[in-house]
Amino acid sequence: MTARTTPGERAPGEPSRTVLLRRGEVHSPADPFATAMAVTGDRVAWVGSESAADALAASADEVVDLEGALVTPAFTDAHVHTTATGLALTGLDLAGSRSAGDVLARVAAHTAPLPGGATVIGHGWDTTDWPEAHPPTRAELDAAAGGRPVYLARVDAHSALATTALLDLVPGVADRPGFHPEGPLTGDAHHAVRHAADAALTPAQRSAAQRAALARAASLGIGAVHECAGPDISSEDDLTALLALAEEEPGPRVFGYWGELVTTAKEARRVRELGAVGAGGDLFADGSLGSRTAHLHRPYLGTEDTGVAHLTADDVAAHVAACTEAGLQAGFHAIGDAALTAVTDGFAAAAERLGADRVRALRHRVEHAELLTPETIAAFAAHGLTASVQPMFDAAWGGPDGMYARRLGAERAGALNPFAALLRAGVPLAFGSDAPVTPLGPWEALRAAAFHRTVEHRVSARAAFTAHTRGGWRAVGRDDAGVLVPGAPADYAVWHAGALVVQAPDDRVARWSTDPRSGTPGLPDLTPGAPLPTCLRTVVAGRTVYDRPNE
């Protein structure tokens, strides 16, 4: 990919500056055969053919020869925990740990060079396939950490291990629901300990982690992230610092959500004052399947446990009504079928109180929405809810031998993450990673959705692509973005990719086609095993935020 700049070019960043990209493949519904695109300032100005690009080249300030590269809208990751993602990238990452002993060894190696009182945050352990099937004890962790305060979140971030030194920072923690003397902390005890660990981060640690996460996102063609913050998952300081950083430095756009119940206009104003676009994200109706805290109608396999309900239908109704009256988007984290019933019942009550059209107009959203039923899917459609979902959850834990089946049994596990049923019902999807729960990786997410482990839940590559580009923008109330058409924001990514195909969700029709007469813009082949695209450049609002180093 090469660039040519005309003599006497205008100053970089000046609104009238025009960049012409040509001799590539431009993914645009405006022209499925487009090979060129012009950007003026922070907007797409034109999309079209090579012959038309000839006429524009002389007046462009910069001409980029794509050399056959693919240009797409930048991806939006609709559910991210930025600081935690950055800490996993730069610090103690426990993903892939093979046993309790492996975790202890990693903790010891990481903490050994640190000062005695330094707080350590780690993420990613998962006992599902460990030979002992249980995590280290607190005594073992204390010894490995040398007495330091240590917080280690499970891969789903809904339970955690903590050393005695960290527990000592939380008065009365042993009396909180979810406290276990030796096992993982859940519920209120977990939230309190996580808050203590978060509070121990220095501003320098926090900003370094946030920069690392945003830089990784930009390197993967992600132009926007939805930060899901809240009092039980991070802090006000963390959210406001992230939003300030994103405003001041080049990188992906950041849309913040604050997951705290709102019941009054004053509380709604405070959410806006934090800079958040909605009172949702990780406003927990329940927990997670991996930690057995997602709220179920029937018990987890081999137990009498049905998980944890954090909100009732009345709580949901009050929140939705208050947000709707304030013109503020509401949202909830809900995974289990009982939690999703409570959420949809709450929306129904709010709609009855305020009118269905007022509730639908705000495009309220539900995060994860995994164990849906036909009734709750219909309720999503009726109330205009956006399903903010994570395809990599199925890739990581789905299938007949996966964690989901071990928690629920194969039959119930097969109902999880029904993307195709949601689309058939008219429910808009927004794809995300929930990083660091699963890694940032939009093409991997598209592959996971197109090749869902449960065949009937698969969607076309085109539908998955829309959910990971335009769907994220729609989820924040913007219909003009996430697509490369004239007038749209100039948020795009340039990719080294193989041949483009039009891919279908299953074998009942041709799985792919390279026939241009279809009039449908092609996408890279997502078949498992096929190489995924490599990001060469990411541009946000006309400004380059990532350029792949020459190798």
Side-chain angles (χ1 to χ4, degrees):
M1 186 170 63
T2 58
R4 174 186 63 76
T5 304
T6 60
E9 67 173 29
R10 287 178 281 274
E14 192 171 318
S16 59
R17 189 170 186 270
T18 295
V19 177
L20 175 66
L21 299 95
R22 63 182 307 186
R23 299 191 181 97
E25 300 278 356
V26 179
H27 186 95
S28 172
D31 183 349
F33 314 118
T35 62
M37 179 174 77
V39 171
T40 298
D42 63 355
R43 296 276 162 173
V44 175
W46 169 85
V47 174
S49 67
E50 208 56 47
S51 58
D54 289 337
L56 296 173
S59 60
D61 297 285
E62 181 181 357
V63 178
V64 177
D65 187 343
L66 294 169
E67 298 174 0
L70 170 67
V71 182
T72 71
F75 288 104
T76 294
D77 192 312
H79 193 119
V80 172
H81 305 287
T82 307
T83 302
T85 299
L87 289 171
L89 290 169
T90 61
L92 181 52
D93 185 2
L94 300 174
S97 300
R98 298 179 299 277
S99 66
D102 189 8
V103 166
L104 293 170
R106 295 189 192 200
V107 169
H110 183 82
T111 57
L114 301 177
T119 298
V120 175
I121 297 178
H123 174 88
W125 61 268
D126 183 359
T127 63
T128 300
D129 295 316
W130 290 2
E132 64 275 87
H134 63 75
T137 66
R138 178 153 44 114
E140 290 172 332
L141 194 56
D142 286 345
R148 295 173 180 82
V150 174
Y151 169 86
L152 305 179
R154 190 185 181 280
V155 64
D156 58 13
H158 285 274
S159 59
L161 304 172
T163 59
T164 301
L166 181 58
L167 294 175
D168 288 344
L169 299 178
V170 186
V173 66
D175 298 323
R176 289 177 177 264
F179 178 80
H180 301 281
E182 289 297 331
L185 305 171
T186 61
D188 289 348
H190 174 222
H191 296 159
V193 171
R194 177 163 53 192
H195 181 75
D198 179 77
L201 290 174
T202 66
Q205 286 176 300
R206 190 183 308 281
S207 59
Q210 292 170 347
R211 287 190 180 94
L214 294 176
R216 173 63 65 87
S219 76
L220 297 171
I222 297 170
V225 300
H226 297 183
E227 166 65 16
C228 292
D232 292 331
I233 196 76
S234 58
S235 67
E236 292 185 13
D237 288 345
D238 186 81
L239 175 61
T240 55
L242 173 63
L243 295 176
L245 180 71
E247 186 71 24
E248 295 164 3
E249 299 182 6
R253 303 175 193 258
V254 178
F255 298 96
Y257 283 86
W258 184 247
E260 188 170 12
L261 278 175
V262 166
T263 57
T264 66
K266 180 179 179 181
E267 291 169 346
R269 283 196 300 272
R270 195 176 71 82
V271 171
R272 286 200 174 94
E273 288 165 0
L274 289 174
V277 297
D282 275 336
L283 174 51
F284 296 118
D286 66 345
S288 73
L289 292 165
S291 292
R292 294 187 177 88
T293 53
H295 189 208
L296 306 177
H297 284 304
R298 291 188 287 133
Y300 286 88
L301 189 66
T303 77
E304 298 299 319
D305 185 10
T306 56
V308 180
H310 294 301
L311 299 174
T312 66
D314 288 343
D315 295 328
V316 172
H319 180 76
V320 172
C323 288
T324 301
E325 289 179 325
L328 182 68
Q329 188 183 43
F332 302 90
H333 160 123
I335 286 178
D337 51 2
L340 286 159
T341 296
V343 166
T344 52
D345 284 351
F347 271 102
E352 185 174 352
R353 187 185 316 169
L354 299 178
D357 289 344
R358 288 186 67 189
V359 170
R360 288 177 62 88
L362 270 296
R363 300 185 182 183
H364 302 302
R365 53 192 280 178
V366 179
E367 310 300 312
H368 315 310
E370 290 200 80
L371 192 52
L372 289 155
T373 64
E375 292 75 21
T376 48
I377 290 173
F380 270 51
H383 303 306
L385 305 182
T386 295
S388 170
V389 295
Q390 294 72 43
M392 287 302 294
F393 284 8
D394 176 72
W397 303 307
D401 300 319
M403 180 272 288
Y404 288 152
R406 299 182 201 186
R407 293 292 187 269
L408 302 177
E411 182 179 353
R412 275 199 294 172
L416 288 162
N417 301 299
F419 304 144
L422 285 163
L423 287 180
R424 283 195 301 270
V427 177
L429 302 183
F431 280 179
S433 63
D434 199 11
V437 175
T438 61
L440 299 167
W443 289 111
E444 290 83 354
L446 266 61
R447 172 177 282 169
F451 292 91
H452 197 296
R453 292 176 184 269
T454 304
V455 173
E456 58 264 35
H457 298 334
R458 293 177 178 177
V459 298
S460 69
R462 183 183 181 191
F465 183 80
T466 299
H468 223 331
T469 52
R470 206 166 188 177
W473 281 97
R474 187 194 180 284
V476 292
R478 292 278 300 274
D479 292 325
D480 64 332
V483 62
L484 299 180
V485 296
D491 291 21
Y492 62 90
V494 181
W495 307 90
H496 173 71
L500 304 185
V501 299
V502 178
Q503 216 159 334
D506 59 47
D507 293 318
R508 288 172 295 179
V509 294
R511 182 172 290 284
W512 57 75
S513 168
T514 55
D515 187 346
R517 291 173 299 177
S518 68
T520 300
L523 288 167
D525 183 4
L526 299 178
T527 305
L532 293 174
T534 300
C535 186
L536 304 176
R537 176 176 294 175
T538 305
V539 175
V540 175
R543 185 177 187 180
T544 299
V545 299
Y546 170 76
D547 243 332
R548 184 175 178 83
N550 292 324
E551 296 177 351

